[in-house]
Amino acid sequence: MRIVMIGSGYVGLVSGACFADFGHFVTCVDKDADKIAALKRCEIPIFEPDLDQLVRTGMDGGRLKFSTGLDDIAEADAVFIAVGTPSRRGDGHADLSYVHAASREIAAHLQGFTVIVTKSTVPVGTGDEVERIIRETNPAADFAVASNPEFLREGAAIRDFQHPDRIVVGTEDERAQKVMGDVYRPLYLNQAPIMFTSRRTSELIKYAANAFLATKITFINEMADLAEQVGANVQEIARGIGLDNRIGTKFLHAGAGYGGSCFPKDTRALAKTALDHGIQLRIVEATLTANDNRKRAMARKVANALGGDLHGKTIAVLGLTFKPDTDDMREAASIPLITGLLDFGAKVKAHDPVGMEQAKKELAGIEYCEDPYTCARGADALVIVTEWRQFRALDLERIKNSMATPVIVDLRNIYRPEDVRGLGFKYESIGRR
Ligand code: UDX
């Protein structure tokens, strides 16, 4: 198949490279000429494990190319819209201006039957708008608009694309269903179920999935707060409920609160969309509020570990990105945490294996350290915020000898309390008193 991917960011670049790996002929398009020039040199602008290898293989095999122009749309069987849909400033709705602009530009280049596919996360009904824009722009065009949301986790995007639990396609047009079936044939040949449904149902499935996962995380985070008060262990609670296959063990790791470019944005947009339709999603709204409050409360948790007053104290923070295996700082828990620590009068040192360049755009007034040991030196407390592998087997004796006071606050429960306390640390964690 011939595919054009509009937008070469996290979603478009990974999807385009994976489609090329299926054997399709893919053109990834972006307005950013510098980004396209870098991609042509196989320089990948995002931190995604193994993506550089996949892009190089696709380019060397003549199946993947990059362009700032839309000429290849004329020959395309499917044109995917994978542009950004950020939270609109102020009201939390998704900003669809890039989607609408892409729709107009695509319309002008259509020839022959073409399926236009919204892969970006878009509010329910966006497919109808895309269809209207294209029909108004090019009344003669022969096309169908389908929804095909992605369920990719940053840091595992290629694996999630190549081994999905399901493929969701929203269209009731039979020709479009055939094209989409051909596009995804290499996947469902190895049993990934492809689910055809209506366009609006497909659009809502994406939001419902992210909102449910965000709610599941927030549920276990609240269980952690209660566990601390009653002397229970939240990791064992997670295991005990997760073994019920109606609940499942994943996304039950209590922590500092969820971040990232999707959960916060999508839960906010879903709550807004519902209100637009006269429906109040109380559980989703509660998840939003609880998560925002939690991330802000983490600075207080650190202060309490040091007796409540942080003036003149030095806090070492390990992990800045919103999760491991990414350099993405969007809505990272480290941002409100460090901001709070500075507000409480502390001096902050920080280390992250990958994210410090991105972090410097968000967090000024702190000392960035090249490794965990330099970061911990002289600190009154060491706070683990992102569960990078590099932090899971630190030489804690060496750390203890270099700190001003031996206090560890582990916001991701990567250590066992008895091990750390056995070394003479005061050790606080999440949901495990
Ligand atoms: C998420 C969805 O998982 C993915 O399907 C969707 O396409 C995009 O959004 P992503 O945001 O990349 O993916 O990361 P994810 O691994 O889901 O983690 C999101 C946040 O939840 C992170 O801040 C992570 O630390 C947090 N989290 C995740 C927890 O706190 N506990 C968990 O058990 C899992």
Side-chain angles (χ1 to χ4, degrees), residues 299-300 302-304 306 308-317 337-349 364-367 379-381 383:
R300 172 57 55 201
V302 174
N304 291 343
L306 286 177
D309 179 13
L310 290 185
H311 282 90
K313 303 283 189 187
T314 298
I315 310 297
V317 171
L337 168 69
I338 289 172
T339 307
L341 293 174
L342 294 172
D343 290 349
F344 288 159
K347 176 176 177 291
V348 176
K349 302 169 72 179
I366 66 174
E367 180 185 341
D380 295 287
V383 185

Side-chain angles (χ1 to χ4, degrees), residues 150-154 206 210 213 217 221 250-255 257-263 322-323 387 412:
E150 48 78 23
F151 302 99
L152 310 179
R153 291 167 298 160
E154 286 182 34
K206 170 65 185 176
N210 271 5
L213 290 169
I217 292 165
N221 282 341
K250 293 181 179 172
F251 279 60
L252 282 177
H253 302 294
Y258 61 77
S261 63
C262 295
F263 283 172
F322 85 90
K323 61 181 258 192
E387 64 281 25
R412 294 289 174 175

Side-chain angles (χ1 to χ4, degrees), residues 120-139:
S120 301
T121 302
V122 291
V124 181
T126 301
D128 305 350
E129 289 171 43
V130 169
E131 189 171 312
R132 177 181 52 74
I133 289 169
I134 292 174
R135 199 168 302 295
E136 284 170 4
T137 310
N138 183 350

Side-chain angles (χ1 to χ4, degrees), residues 11 79-83 85 99 103 115-123 125-131 134 144-150 168-170 180 199 202-203 206:
V11 173
V79 179
F80 284 76
I81 298 177
V83 295
T85 55
V99 171
S103 304
V115 182
I116 290 90
V117 190
T118 54
K119 182 156 276 293
S120 301
T121 302
V122 291
T126 301
D128 305 350
E129 289 171 43
V130 169
E131 189 171 312
I134 292 174
V145 176
S147 160
N148 174 223
E150 48 78 23
V168 174
V169 176
M180 296 304 284
R199 195 161 62 199
S202 171
E203 290 165 340
K206 170 65 185 176

